[in-house]
Amino acid sequence: MALLQPTKPRLHPFASTSAPCRGCVRSLRLPSSGRCEIRAASSRDGKEQGPASTFGRALRIAAAGVLASGLVWMSPDVAHAEMQVVSAAQVTQMAKPLPKQSFDKGRVWTVFIGSAVTLFGATVLEMEEREKKEAEVLALRQKEFDQQQRSAAAVEEGLKAAKAKNFVDSMASRRDAVKQQ
């Protein structure tokens, strides 16, 4: 009997709460009779599961059953294999040497060096392209910084002009007040 047990607490896939799944132990037993029996352990705390959780569990059990039966059906049966006893003389007569595989070492080196050069070239091109993009981004950031500095300077000049005008106006109003007294 093989037991599958999760190492970490799992959540029920269709549960309304996020409580960890307790007792998600499933057993798979392949007896020698060829039939497959799959059992799902019920929850340890005795709480009833909803119909969606029951359906999901039934679907997983059915999928596991189909998988197990497919594996049993597709596995070769050793007992039905046809075996023949052959003498050593027959084996040596039927054995043929493997053909010598020849390949051009120059072509292999050419492909190896060519692919290395191509990879190096692609890396250099990518680095140059990245440097160009970084230079463009730096130029844009510098223009934006300069624009902000110019607008800040214009605001300061406006404030100075407003203070000067306010000062002149206040001095003029004081003179008028002094003249009226």
Side-chain angles (χ1 to χ4, degrees), residues 120-163:
F120 179 73
T123 305
V124 168
L125 288 176
E126 187 210 342
M127 289 175 67
E128 289 176 356
E129 185 175 322
R130 184 177 291 172
E131 287 176 4
K132 287 179 185 177
K133 286 182 181 178
E134 287 176 359
E136 290 174 0
V137 168
L138 184 63
L140 285 172
R141 287 182 181 166
Q142 186 64 40
K143 285 181 184 177
E144 186 176 309
F145 178 75
D146 292 343
Q147 179 67 25
Q148 288 175 351
Q149 293 297 324
R150 281 193 295 270
S151 67
V155 168
E156 286 181 22
E157 289 295 323
L159 286 174
K160 285 181 185 177
K163 284 181 182 178

Side-chain angles (χ1 to χ4, degrees), residues 12 20-25 40-49 53 57:
H12 285 292
C21 173
R22 297 182 191 182
C24 290
V25 178
S42 62
S43 180
R44 288 184 191 157
D45 55 1
K47 293 180 182 175
E48 289 294 322
Q49 303 296 325
S53 177
R57 179 175 285 162

Side-chain angles (χ1 to χ4, degrees), residues 1 17 22 27 65 75 80 100 118 123 129 147 155 160 170:
M1 175 185 278
T17 64
R22 297 182 191 182
S27 62
S75 64
H80 297 292
K100 185 177 181 182
T118 303
T123 305
E129 185 175 322
Q147 179 67 25
V155 168
K160 285 181 185 177
S170 67

Side-chain angles (χ1 to χ4, degrees), residues 72-91:
V72 168
W73 180 69
M74 290 176 24
S75 64
D77 196 3
V78 177
H80 297 292
E82 295 181 20
M83 300 179 74
Q84 295 179 358
V85 178
V86 182
S87 66
Q90 285 179 325
V91 171

Side-chain angles (χ1 to χ4, degrees), residues 7 55 139 152:
T7 57
F55 176 73

